[in-house]
Coordinates of all heavy atoms in Angstrom, one line a residue:
M33 N 3.4 -7.1 13.5 CA 3.9 -6.9 12.2 C 3.9 -8.3 11.4 O 3.4 -8.4 10.3 CB 5.3 -6.3 12.2 CG 5.8 -5.9 10.9 SD 4.7 -4.7 10.1 CE 4.7 -5.3 8.4
K34 N 4.3 -9.3 12.2 CA 4.4 -10.6 11.5 C 3.0 -11.0 11.1 O 2.8 -11.6 10.0 CB 5.0 -11.6 12.5 CG 5.4 -12.9 11.8 CD 6.3 -13.7 12.7 CE 6.8 -14.9 12.0 NZ 7.3 -16.0 12.8
N35 N 2.0 -10.8 12.0 CA 0.6 -11.2 11.7 C 0.1 -10.4 10.4 O -0.6 -11.0 9.6 CB -0.3 -10.9 12.8 CG -0.2 -12.0 13.9 OD1 0.4 -13.0 13.6 ND2 -0.6 -11.7 15.1
L36 N 0.5 -9.2 10.4 CA 0.0 -8.4 9.3 C 0.6 -8.9 8.0 O -0.1 -9.0 6.9 CB 0.5 -6.9 9.4 CG -0.4 -6.0 10.2 CD1 0.2 -4.7 10.4 CD2 -1.7 -5.9 9.4
V37 N 1.9 -9.3 8.0 CA 2.5 -9.8 6.8 C 1.8 -11.1 6.4 O 1.5 -11.3 5.2 CB 4.0 -10.0 7.0 CG1 4.7 -10.7 5.8 CG2 4.7 -8.6 7.3
M38 N 1.6 -11.9 7.4 CA 0.9 -13.2 7.1 C -0.5 -13.0 6.5 O -0.9 -13.6 5.5 CB 0.7 -14.1 8.4 CG 2.0 -14.7 8.8 SD 2.8 -15.6 7.5 CE 1.6 -16.9 7.2
F39 N -1.2 -12.0 7.0 CA -2.5 -11.7 6.5 C -2.4 -11.2 5.1 O -3.1 -11.6 4.2 CB -3.1 -10.6 7.4 CG -4.5 -10.2 6.9 CD1 -5.6 -11.0 7.0 CD2 -4.7 -8.9 6.3 CE1 -6.8 -10.7 6.5 CE2 -5.9 -8.6 5.8 CZ -7.0 -9.4 5.9
G40 N -1.4 -10.4 4.8 CA -1.1 -9.9 3.5 C -0.9 -11.0 2.5 O -1.4 -11.1 1.4
V41 N 0.0 -11.9 2.9 CA 0.3 -13.1 2.1 C -0.9 -13.9 1.8 O -1.2 -14.3 0.7 CB 1.4 -13.9 2.7 CG1 1.6 -15.2 2.0 CG2 2.7 -13.1 2.8
L42 N -1.8 -14.1 2.8 CA -3.0 -14.9 2.7 C -3.9 -14.1 1.7 O -4.5 -14.8 0.8 CB -3.7 -15.0 4.0 CG -4.9 -15.8 4.0 CD1 -4.6 -17.3 3.7 CD2 -5.6 -15.8 5.4
T43 N -4.1 -12.8 1.9 CA -5.0 -12.1 1.0 C -4.5 -12.2 -0.4 O -5.3 -12.3 -1.3 CB -4.9 -10.6 1.4 OG1 -5.1 -10.5 2.8 CG2 -6.0 -9.8 0.7
L44 N -3.2 -12.1 -0.6 CA -2.6 -12.1 -1.9 C -2.9 -13.4 -2.6 O -3.3 -13.5 -3.7 CB -1.1 -11.8 -1.8 CG -0.4 -11.6 -3.1 CD1 -0.9 -10.4 -3.8 CD2 1.1 -11.5 -2.9
S45 N -2.7 -14.5 -1.8 CA -2.9 -15.8 -2.5 C -4.3 -16.1 -2.8 O -4.7 -16.7 -3.7 CB -2.3 -17.0 -1.6 OG -2.6 -16.8 -0.3
L46 N -5.2 -15.5 -2.0 CA -6.6 -15.7 -2.2 C -7.0 -14.9 -3.5 O -7.7 -15.4 -4.4 CB -7.5 -15.2 -1.1 CG -7.5 -16.1 0.2 CD1 -8.2 -15.4 1.3 CD2 -8.0 -17.4 -0.2
T47 N -6.6 -13.6 -3.6 CA -7.0 -12.8 -4.7 C -6.3 -13.2 -6.0 O -6.7 -12.9 -7.0 CB -6.6 -11.3 -4.4 OG1 -5.3 -11.2 -4.0 CG2 -7.5 -10.7 -3.4
A48 N -5.2 -14.0 -5.8 CA -4.4 -14.4 -7.0 C -5.3 -15.3 -7.9 O -5.1 -15.4 -9.1 CB -3.2 -15.1 -6.6
C49 N -6.3 -15.9 -7.3 CA -7.2 -16.8 -8.1 C -8.2 -16.0 -8.9 O -8.7 -16.5 -9.9 CB -8.0 -17.7 -7.1 SG -7.0 -18.6 -6.0
G50 N -8.6 -14.8 -8.4 CA -9.6 -14.0 -9.1 C -9.0 -13.1 -10.2 O -7.8 -13.2 -10.5
D51 N -9.8 -12.3 -10.7 CA -9.4 -11.3 -11.8 C -8.9 -10.1 -11.1 O -9.6 -9.1 -11.1 CB -10.5 -11.1 -12.7 CG -10.1 -10.4 -14.0 OD1 -8.9 -10.1 -14.1 OD2 -10.9 -10.2 -14.9
K52 N -7.8 -10.1 -10.4 CA -7.4 -9.0 -9.5 C -7.1 -7.7 -10.3 O -7.3 -6.7 -9.8 CB -6.3 -9.4 -8.7 CG -5.0 -9.8 -9.4 CD -3.9 -10.2 -8.4 CE -2.6 -10.6 -9.2 NZ -1.5 -10.5 -8.4
G53 N -6.7 -7.9 -11.6 CA -6.4 -6.7 -12.3 C -7.6 -5.8 -12.5 O -7.6 -4.6 -12.1
D54 N -8.7 -6.4 -12.9 CA -9.9 -5.6 -13.1 C -10.5 -5.1 -11.8 O -11.0 -4.0 -11.7 CB -11.0 -6.5 -13.8 CG -10.7 -6.6 -15.3 OD1 -10.0 -5.7 -15.8 OD2 -11.2 -7.5 -16.0
S55 N -10.6 -6.0 -10.8 CA -11.2 -5.5 -9.5 C -10.4 -4.3 -9.0 O -11.0 -3.4 -8.4 CB -11.2 -6.6 -8.5 OG -9.9 -7.0 -8.2
G56 N -9.1 -4.3 -9.3 CA -8.3 -3.1 -8.8 C -8.5 -1.9 -9.6 O -8.4 -0.8 -9.1
T57 N -8.9 -2.0 -10.9 CA -9.0 -0.8 -11.7 C -10.1 0.2 -11.3 O -9.8 1.4 -11.2 CB -9.2 -1.2 -13.2 OG1 -8.3 -2.2 -13.5 CG2 -9.1 0.0 -14.1
D58 N -11.2 -0.3 -11.0 CA -12.3 0.6 -10.5 C -11.9 1.2 -9.2 O -12.1 2.4 -9.0 CB -13.6 -0.3 -10.2 CG -14.2 -0.7 -11.6 OD1 -13.8 -0.1 -12.6 OD2 -15.1 -1.5 -11.5
R59 N -11.4 0.4 -8.3 CA -11.0 1.0 -7.0 C -9.9 2.0 -7.2 O -9.9 3.0 -6.5 CB -10.5 -0.1 -6.0 CG -11.6 -0.9 -5.4 CD -11.2 -1.7 -4.2 NE -10.8 -0.8 -3.1 CZ -10.2 -1.2 -2.0 NH1 -9.9 -2.5 -1.8 NH2 -9.9 -0.4 -1.0
T60 N -9.0 1.8 -8.1 CA -7.9 2.7 -8.3 C -8.4 4.1 -8.7 O -8.0 5.1 -8.1 CB -6.9 2.2 -9.4 OG1 -6.4 0.9 -8.9 CG2 -5.8 3.1 -9.6
A61 N -9.4 4.1 -9.6 CA -9.9 5.4 -10.0 C -10.6 6.1 -8.8 O -10.5 7.3 -8.6 CB -10.9 5.2 -11.1
D62 N -11.4 5.3 -8.0 CA -12.0 5.9 -6.8 C -11.0 6.5 -5.9 O -11.2 7.6 -5.3 CB -12.8 4.8 -6.1 CG -14.1 4.3 -6.9 OD1 -14.4 5.0 -7.9 OD2 -14.7 3.3 -6.5
I63 N -10.0 5.7 -5.7 CA -8.9 6.2 -4.7 C -8.2 7.4 -5.2 O -8.0 8.4 -4.4 CB -7.9 5.0 -4.4 CG1 -8.6 3.9 -3.7 CG2 -6.7 5.5 -3.7 CD1 -7.9 2.6 -3.7
L64 N -7.9 7.5 -6.5 CA -7.2 8.6 -7.0 C -8.1 9.9 -7.0 O -7.6 11.0 -7.0 CB -6.8 8.4 -8.5 CG -5.6 7.4 -8.6 CD1 -5.3 7.0 -10.0 CD2 -4.3 8.0 -7.9
A65 N -9.5 9.7 -6.9 CA -10.4 10.8 -6.9 C -10.5 11.4 -5.5 O -11.0 12.5 -5.3 CB -11.8 10.4 -7.4
L66 N -10.1 10.7 -4.5 CA -10.2 11.1 -3.1 C -9.0 12.1 -2.8 O -8.0 12.0 -3.3 CB -10.1 9.9 -2.1 CG -11.3 8.9 -2.2 CD1 -10.9 7.7 -1.4 CD2 -12.6 9.6 -1.7
S67 N -9.3 13.0 -1.8 CA -8.2 13.8 -1.3 C -7.7 13.2 0.0 O -8.5 12.9 0.9 CB -8.5 15.3 -1.3 OG -9.1 15.6 -0.1
G68 N -6.4 12.9 0.1 CA -5.9 12.2 1.2 C -5.5 13.1 2.4 O -5.2 14.3 2.2
D69 N -5.6 12.6 3.6 CA -5.3 13.4 4.8 C -3.9 12.8 5.3 O -3.9 11.6 5.7 CB -6.4 13.2 5.8 CG -6.1 13.8 7.1 OD1 -5.1 13.6 7.7 OD2 -7.0 14.6 7.5
S70 N -2.9 13.6 5.3 CA -1.6 13.0 5.6 C -1.5 12.6 7.1 O -0.8 11.7 7.4 CB -0.4 13.9 5.2 OG -0.5 15.1 5.9
A71 N -2.2 13.3 8.0 CA -2.1 13.0 9.4 C -2.7 11.6 9.6 O -2.2 10.7 10.3 CB -2.8 14.0 10.2
A72 N -3.9 11.3 9.0 CA -4.5 10.0 9.1 C -3.6 9.0 8.4 O -3.5 7.8 8.9 CB -5.9 10.0 8.5
G73 N -3.0 9.4 7.4 CA -2.1 8.5 6.6 C -0.9 8.0 7.4 O -0.4 6.9 7.2
E74 N -0.5 8.8 8.3 CA 0.7 8.4 9.1 C 0.4 7.2 9.9 O 1.2 6.3 10.1 CB 1.1 9.6 10.0 CG 2.3 9.2 10.9 CD 2.9 10.4 11.6 OE1 2.3 11.5 11.6 OE2 4.0 10.2 12.3
T75 N -0.9 7.1 10.5 CA -1.3 6.0 11.3 C -1.4 4.7 10.4 O -0.9 3.7 10.8 CB -2.7 6.3 11.9 OG1 -2.7 7.5 12.5 CG2 -3.1 5.2 12.8
V76 N -1.9 4.9 9.2 CA -2.0 3.7 8.3 C -0.6 3.3 7.9 O -0.3 2.1 7.9 CB -2.8 4.1 7.0 CG1 -2.9 3.0 6.0 CG2 -4.2 4.6 7.3
Y77 N 0.3 4.2 7.6 CA 1.6 3.9 7.2 C 2.4 3.2 8.3 O 3.0 2.1 8.1 CB 2.4 5.2 6.9 CG 3.8 4.9 6.4 CD1 4.0 4.5 5.0 CD2 4.9 4.9 7.2 CE1 5.3 4.2 4.6 CE2 6.2 4.6 6.8 CZ 6.4 4.3 5.5 OH 7.6 3.9 5.0
T78 N 2.3 3.7 9.5 CA 3.0 3.1 10.7 C 2.5 1.6 10.9 O 3.3 0.7 11.1 CB 2.9 3.9 11.9 OG1 3.3 5.2 11.6 CG2 3.7 3.3 13.1
A79 N 1.3 1.4 10.7 CA 0.7 0.1 11.0 C 1.0 -0.9 9.9 O 1.1 -2.1 10.1 CB -0.8 0.2 11.2
N80 N 1.1 -0.4 8.6 CA 1.1 -1.4 7.5 C 2.4 -1.3 6.6 O 2.6 -2.3 5.9 CB -0.1 -1.1 6.6 CG -1.4 -1.3 7.3 OD1 -1.8 -2.4 7.5 ND2 -2.1 -0.2 7.6
C81 N 3.1 -0.3 6.6 CA 4.1 -0.1 5.6 C 5.5 0.1 6.2 O 6.5 -0.2 5.5 CB 3.8 1.1 4.7 SG 2.1 1.4 4.4
S82 N 5.6 0.7 7.4 CA 6.9 1.1 7.9 C 7.8 -0.1 8.2 O 9.0 0.0 8.1 CB 6.8 2.0 9.1 OG 6.2 1.2 10.2
G83 N 7.2 -1.3 8.4 CA 8.0 -2.5 8.7 C 9.0 -2.8 7.6 O 10.1 -3.2 7.8
C84 N 8.6 -2.6 6.4 CA 9.4 -2.8 5.2 C 10.1 -1.5 4.7 O 11.3 -1.5 4.4 CB 8.6 -3.5 4.1 SG 8.1 -5.1 4.5
H85 N 9.3 -0.5 4.5 CA 9.8 0.7 3.8 C 10.5 1.7 4.8 O 11.1 2.7 4.4 CB 8.7 1.4 3.1 CG 8.2 0.6 1.9 ND1 8.9 0.4 0.8 CD2 7.0 -0.1 1.7 CE1 8.2 -0.3 -0.1 NE2 7.1 -0.7 0.5
G86 N 10.5 1.3 6.1 CA 11.2 2.2 7.1 C 10.3 3.3 7.6 O 9.4 3.8 6.9
A87 N 10.5 3.8 8.8 CA 9.7 4.8 9.4 C 9.7 6.1 8.6 O 8.7 6.8 8.5 CB 10.2 5.1 10.8
D88 N 10.8 6.4 7.9 CA 10.9 7.6 7.1 C 10.8 7.3 5.6 O 11.0 8.2 4.8 CB 12.3 8.3 7.4 CG 13.4 7.4 7.0 OD1 13.2 6.2 6.6 OD2 14.6 7.9 7.1
G89 N 10.4 6.1 5.3 CA 10.1 5.8 3.9 C 11.3 5.6 3.0 O 11.2 5.5 1.8
S90 N 12.5 5.6 3.7 CA 13.7 5.5 2.9 C 14.2 4.1 2.5 O 15.2 3.9 1.8 CB 14.9 6.2 3.6 OG 15.2 5.6 4.8
G91 N 13.4 3.1 2.9 CA 13.6 1.7 2.4 C 14.8 1.1 3.1 O 15.3 1.6 4.1
S92 N 15.4 0.0 2.5 CA 16.5 -0.7 3.0 C 17.1 -1.4 1.8 O 16.7 -1.3 0.7 CB 16.1 -1.7 4.1 OG 15.3 -2.7 3.5
D93 N 18.1 -2.3 2.1 CA 18.7 -3.1 1.1 C 17.6 -3.9 0.3 O 17.7 -4.2 -0.9 CB 19.8 -4.1 1.6 CG 21.0 -3.3 2.0 OD1 21.1 -2.1 1.7 OD2 21.9 -3.9 2.7
S94 N 16.6 -4.4 1.1 CA 15.6 -5.3 0.5 C 14.4 -4.6 0.0 O 13.7 -5.2 -0.8 CB 15.2 -6.3 1.5 OG 16.3 -6.8 2.3
F95 N 14.1 -3.4 0.5 CA 12.9 -2.8 0.1 C 13.1 -1.4 -0.5 O 13.9 -0.6 0.1 CB 11.9 -2.7 1.3 CG 11.7 -4.0 1.9 CD1 12.2 -4.4 3.2 CD2 10.9 -5.0 1.2 CE1 11.9 -5.7 3.7 CE2 10.7 -6.2 1.7 CZ 11.2 -6.6 3.0
P96 N 12.4 -1.0 -1.5 CA 12.6 0.3 -2.2 C 12.2 1.5 -1.3 O 11.3 1.4 -0.4 CB 11.7 0.2 -3.4 CG 10.7 -0.7 -3.1 CD 11.3 -1.7 -2.2
A97 N 12.9 2.6 -1.5 CA 12.5 3.9 -0.9 C 11.2 4.3 -1.5 O 11.0 4.2 -2.7 CB 13.5 4.9 -1.1
I98 N 10.2 4.8 -0.7 CA 9.0 5.3 -1.3 C 8.7 6.7 -0.8 O 7.6 7.3 -1.1 CB 7.8 4.4 -1.0 CG1 7.6 4.2 0.6 CG2 7.9 3.0 -1.7 CD1 6.3 3.5 0.9
N99 N 9.7 7.3 -0.1 CA 9.5 8.7 0.4 C 9.3 9.6 -0.8 O 10.0 9.5 -1.8 CB 10.6 9.1 1.3 CG 12.0 8.8 0.8 OD1 12.1 8.1 -0.2 ND2 13.0 9.2 1.6
G100 N 8.3 10.5 -0.7 CA 8.1 11.5 -1.8 C 7.2 10.9 -2.9 O 6.8 11.7 -3.8
S101 N 6.8 9.7 -2.8 CA 6.0 9.1 -3.9 C 4.5 9.6 -3.8 O 3.9 9.5 -2.7 CB 6.0 7.6 -3.8 OG 7.2 7.0 -4.0
A102 N 4.0 10.1 -4.9 CA 2.6 10.5 -4.9 C 1.7 9.4 -5.5 O 2.2 8.5 -6.2 CB 2.5 11.8 -5.8
A103 N 0.5 9.4 -5.2 CA -0.5 8.4 -5.7 C -0.5 8.5 -7.2 O -0.5 9.6 -7.8 CB -1.9 8.7 -5.1
S104 N -0.5 7.4 -7.9 CA -0.6 7.3 -9.3 C -1.3 6.0 -9.6 O -1.4 5.1 -8.7 CB 0.8 7.3 -10.0 OG 1.5 6.1 -9.6
D105 N -1.7 5.8 -10.8 CA -2.4 4.6 -11.2 C -1.5 3.4 -10.9 O -2.0 2.4 -10.2 CB -2.5 4.6 -12.8 CG -3.9 4.4 -13.2 OD1 -4.8 5.0 -12.6 OD2 -4.1 3.6 -14.2
A106 N -0.3 3.4 -11.2 CA 0.6 2.3 -11.1 C 0.8 2.0 -9.6 O 0.8 0.8 -9.1 CB 1.9 2.5 -11.8
F107 N 1.1 3.0 -8.8 CA 1.4 2.8 -7.4 C 0.1 2.4 -6.6 O 0.2 1.5 -5.7 CB 1.9 4.1 -6.7 CG 3.4 4.3 -7.0 CD1 4.0 5.5 -6.7 CD2 4.2 3.3 -7.6 CE1 5.4 5.7 -7.0 CE2 5.5 3.5 -7.9 CZ 6.1 4.7 -7.6
V108 N -1.0 2.9 -6.9 CA -2.3 2.5 -6.2 C -2.6 1.0 -6.6 O -2.9 0.2 -5.7 CB -3.5 3.4 -6.5 CG1 -4.8 2.9 -6.0 CG2 -3.2 4.8 -5.9
N109 N -2.4 0.7 -7.8 CA -2.6 -0.7 -8.2 C -1.7 -1.6 -7.5 O -2.0 -2.7 -7.0 CB -2.4 -0.9 -9.7 CG -3.6 -0.5 -10.5 OD1 -4.7 -0.7 -10.0 ND2 -3.4 -0.1 -11.8
L110 N -0.4 -1.2 -7.4 CA 0.6 -2.0 -6.7 C 0.2 -2.2 -5.2 O 0.3 -3.3 -4.7 CB 1.9 -1.3 -6.8 CG 3.2 -2.0 -6.3 CD1 4.4 -1.6 -7.2 CD2 3.5 -1.6 -4.9
V111 N -0.2 -1.1 -4.6 CA -0.6 -1.3 -3.1 C -1.9 -2.2 -3.0 O -1.9 -3.0 -2.1 CB -0.9 0.1 -2.5 CG1 -1.5 0.0 -1.1 CG2 0.5 0.9 -2.4
L112 N -2.8 -2.1 -3.9 CA -4.0 -3.0 -3.9 C -3.6 -4.4 -4.1 O -4.1 -5.3 -3.4 CB -5.0 -2.5 -4.9 CG -5.8 -1.2 -4.6 CD1 -6.6 -0.8 -5.8 CD2 -6.7 -1.4 -3.4
D113 N -2.8 -4.7 -5.1 CA -2.6 -6.0 -5.6 C -1.3 -6.7 -5.1 O -1.1 -7.9 -5.1 CB -2.5 -6.1 -7.1 CG -3.9 -5.8 -7.7 OD1 -4.9 -5.9 -7.0 OD2 -3.9 -5.4 -8.9
G114 N -0.3 -5.8 -4.6 CA 1.0 -6.3 -4.2 C 1.9 -6.5 -5.4 O 1.4 -6.5 -6.6
A115 N 3.1 -6.8 -5.2 CA 4.1 -7.0 -6.3 C 5.3 -7.6 -5.6 O 5.8 -7.2 -4.6 CB 4.5 -5.7 -7.0
G116 N 5.9 -8.7 -6.3 CA 7.0 -9.3 -5.7 C 6.8 -9.8 -4.3 O 5.8 -10.4 -4.0
S117 N 7.7 -9.4 -3.4 CA 7.5 -9.8 -2.0 C 6.6 -8.8 -1.2 O 6.5 -8.9 0.0 CB 8.8 -10.0 -1.3 OG 9.6 -8.8 -1.4
M118 N 6.0 -7.8 -1.9 CA 5.1 -6.9 -1.2 C 3.7 -7.5 -1.3 O 3.2 -7.7 -2.4 CB 5.1 -5.5 -1.8 CG 4.0 -4.6 -1.2 SD 4.3 -2.9 -1.6 CE 2.6 -2.3 -1.3
P119 N 3.0 -7.7 -0.1 CA 1.6 -8.2 -0.1 C 0.7 -7.1 -0.6 O 1.0 -5.9 -0.6 CB 1.4 -8.5 1.3 CG 2.3 -7.6 2.1 CD 3.5 -7.4 1.2
G120 N -0.5 -7.5 -1.1 CA -1.5 -6.6 -1.5 C -2.2 -6.0 -0.3 O -2.3 -6.7 0.8
F121 N -2.7 -4.8 -0.3 CA -3.4 -4.2 0.8 C -4.9 -3.8 0.4 O -5.4 -2.8 0.8 CB -2.7 -3.0 1.3 CG -1.4 -3.3 2.0 CD1 -0.2 -3.5 1.4 CD2 -1.4 -3.5 3.4 CE1 0.9 -3.8 2.0 CE2 -0.3 -3.9 4.1 CZ 0.9 -4.0 3.4
S122 N -5.5 -4.7 -0.4 CA -6.9 -4.4 -0.8 C -7.8 -4.5 0.4 O -9.0 -4.0 0.3 CB -7.3 -5.4 -1.9 OG -7.2 -6.7 -1.4
S123 N -7.4 -5.0 1.6 CA -8.2 -5.0 2.7 C -8.3 -3.6 3.4 O -9.2 -3.3 4.2 CB -7.7 -6.0 3.8 OG -6.4 -5.7 4.1
L124 N -7.4 -2.7 3.0 CA -7.5 -1.3 3.5 C -8.7 -0.6 2.8 O -9.0 -0.9 1.6 CB -6.2 -0.5 3.2 CG -5.0 -0.9 4.1 CD1 -3.8 -0.1 3.6 CD2 -5.2 -0.7 5.6
G125 N -9.2 0.4 3.4 CA -10.3 1.2 2.8 C -9.7 2.1 1.7 O -8.5 2.5 1.8
D126 N -10.6 2.6 0.8 CA -10.1 3.5 -0.2 C -9.5 4.8 0.4 O -8.5 5.3 0.0 CB -11.3 4.0 -1.1 CG -11.8 2.8 -2.0 OD1 -11.3 1.7 -1.9 OD2 -12.7 3.1 -2.8
Q127 N -10.2 5.3 1.5 CA -9.7 6.5 2.1 C -8.4 6.3 2.8 O -7.5 7.1 2.7 CB -10.7 7.1 3.1 CG -10.4 8.4 3.7 CD -10.4 9.5 2.6 OE1 -11.4 9.7 1.9 NE2 -9.3 10.3 2.5
D128 N -8.2 5.1 3.4 CA -6.9 4.8 4.0 C -5.8 4.8 3.0 O -4.7 5.3 3.3 CB -6.9 3.3 4.6 CG -7.9 3.2 5.8 OD1 -8.1 4.3 6.5 OD2 -8.4 2.1 6.1
I129 N -6.0 4.3 1.8 CA -5.0 4.3 0.8 C -4.7 5.7 0.3 O -3.5 6.1 0.1 CB -5.4 3.3 -0.3 CG1 -5.4 1.9 0.2 CG2 -4.4 3.4 -1.5 CD1 -5.9 0.8 -0.7
A130 N -5.8 6.5 0.1 CA -5.5 7.9 -0.3 C -4.7 8.6 0.8 O -3.8 9.4 0.5 CB -6.9 8.6 -0.5
D131 N -5.1 8.3 2.0 CA -4.4 9.0 3.1 C -2.9 8.6 3.2 O -2.0 9.4 3.4 CB -5.1 8.6 4.5 CG -6.5 9.2 4.6 OD1 -6.8 10.1 3.8 OD2 -7.2 8.8 5.6
V132 N -2.7 7.3 3.0 CA -1.3 6.8 3.1 C -0.4 7.5 2.0 O 0.8 7.9 2.3 CB -1.2 5.3 3.2 CG1 -1.1 4.7 1.8 CG2 0.0 4.8 4.0
F133 N -0.9 7.7 0.8 CA -0.1 8.3 -0.2 C 0.0 9.8 0.1 O 1.1 10.4 -0.1 CB -0.8 8.1 -1.6 CG -0.3 6.9 -2.2 CD1 -1.2 5.8 -2.3 CD2 1.0 6.7 -2.7 CE1 -0.8 4.6 -2.9 CE2 1.4 5.5 -3.3 CZ 0.5 4.4 -3.4
A134 N -1.0 10.4 0.7 CA -0.8 11.8 1.1 C 0.4 11.9 2.1 O 1.2 12.9 2.1 CB -2.1 12.4 1.7
Y135 N 0.4 11.0 3.0 CA 1.5 11.0 4.0 C 2.9 10.7 3.4 O 3.9 11.4 3.6 CB 1.2 9.9 5.1 CG 2.3 9.9 6.1 CD1 2.6 10.9 6.9 CD2 3.1 8.7 6.3 CE1 3.7 10.9 7.9 CE2 4.2 8.7 7.2 CZ 4.4 9.7 8.0 OH 5.5 9.7 8.9
I136 N 3.0 9.6 2.5 CA 4.2 9.3 1.9 C 4.8 10.4 1.1 O 6.0 10.7 1.1 CB 4.1 8.1 1.0 CG1 3.7 6.8 1.8 CG2 5.3 7.8 0.2 CD1 3.2 5.7 0.9
S137 N 3.9 11.2 0.4 CA 4.4 12.3 -0.4 C 5.0 13.4 0.4 O 5.8 14.2 -0.1 CB 3.3 12.8 -1.3 OG 2.3 13.4 -0.5
T138 N 4.8 13.4 1.7 CA 5.4 14.5 2.6 C 6.7 14.0 3.1 O 7.4 14.8 3.8 CB 4.5 14.8 3.8 OG1 4.4 13.7 4.7 CG2 3.1 15.2 3.4
L139 N 7.1 12.7 3.0 CA 8.3 12.2 3.6 C 9.5 12.6 2.8 O 9.5 12.8 1.6 CB 8.2 10.7 3.7 CG 7.2 10.1 4.7 CD1 7.2 8.6 4.6 CD2 7.4 10.6 6.1
Ligands
LIG192 C1 6.4 -7.1 3.4 C2 7.1 -5.8 3.0 C3 6.3 -4.7 2.4 C4 5.3 -4.0 3.1 C5 4.6 -4.3 4.4 C6 4.9 -2.9 2.2 N1 5.7 -2.9 1.1 FE1 5.6 -1.6 -0.5 N2 7.1 -2.7 -1.5 C7 7.7 -3.8 -1.0 C8 8.5 -4.4 -2.1 C9 9.3 -5.7 -2.0 C10 8.4 -3.5 -3.2 C11 9.0 -3.7 -4.6 C12 7.9 -4.5 -5.3 C13 8.4 -4.9 -6.7 O1 8.2 -4.1 -7.7 O2 8.9 -6.0 -6.9 C14 7.5 -2.5 -2.7 C15 7.1 -1.4 -3.6 C16 6.3 -0.4 -3.2 C17 6.0 0.8 -4.0 C18 6.6 1.1 -5.3 C19 7.9 1.7 -5.2 C20 8.6 2.1 -6.5 O3 9.2 3.2 -6.6 O4 8.5 1.2 -7.5 C21 5.1 1.6 -3.3 C22 4.5 2.9 -3.7 C23 4.9 0.9 -2.0 N3 5.6 -0.3 -2.0 C24 4.0 1.3 -1.1 C25 3.7 0.6 0.1 C26 2.6 1.0 1.0 C27 1.8 2.3 0.9 C28 2.6 0.1 2.0 C29 1.6 0.0 3.2 C30 0.2 0.1 2.8 C31 3.6 -0.9 1.7 N4 4.2 -0.6 0.5 C32 3.9 -2.0 2.4 C33 7.5 -4.4 0.3 C34 6.6 -4.0 1.2

């Protein structure tokens, strides 16, 4: 988990130099057009998200609850680019991100 967070922080600081808003916009539309598989998304979630948002997505004092959240423009952009202390996950595949939202929306 620590390595993943470090990787995320590194990715975020690298992408911060580029035009991350625009690069995210095309991918966001592609991701929203995919249909997610919640079973596959559980694996993505456990590996990348549960450390902060909790195994059941209910968050903690430091991290928001995301259980029940469906994919949207704003949320997909946030996952790609990061926000605040959340690292960006643009290294995940488009299908992985569609899958993880399919899973979160079932929590
Ligand atoms: C290092 C901790 C951390 C990890 C790992 C993490 N998040 Fe977050 N997440 C946050 C924080 C902090 C916020 C609040 C960001 C802000 O708006 O300042 C957040 C916000 C969100 C939100 C928006 C919630 C809302 O209602 O505004 C979504 C959706 C989300 N995360 C999904 C994910 C997904 C999907 C993953 C895994 C791919 C993930 N997060 C991994 C810390 C994390």
Side-chain angles (χ1 to χ4, degrees):
M33 190 60 219
K34 199 168 182 194
N35 283 342
L36 270 174
V37 172
M38 284 310 296
F39 178 71
V41 169
L42 183 64
T43 311
L44 188 65
S45 45
L46 288 175
T47 51
C49 307
D51 193 355
K52 59 180 180 162
D54 280 343
S55 65
T57 307
D58 287 346
R59 281 197 68 188
T60 300
D62 290 347
I63 291 165
L64 288 172
L66 294 170
S67 85
D69 177 306
S70 63
E74 180 172 6
T75 308
V76 178
Y77 183 82
T78 304
N80 298 285
C81 322
S82 63
C84 292
H85 293 289
D88 61 357
S90 63
S92 68
D93 287 350
S94 318
F95 302 112
I98 57 170
N99 43 357
S101 298
S104 67
D105 235 43
F107 281 171
V108 170
N109 278 332
L110 185 147
V111 169
L112 286 171
D113 293 340
S117 57
M118 175 167 157
F121 287 89
S122 59
S123 57
L124 289 176
D126 290 3
Q127 187 65 54
D128 290 334
I129 295 174
D131 291 348
V132 85
F133 275 105
Y135 177 65
I136 293 167
S137 66
T138 69
L139 291 177

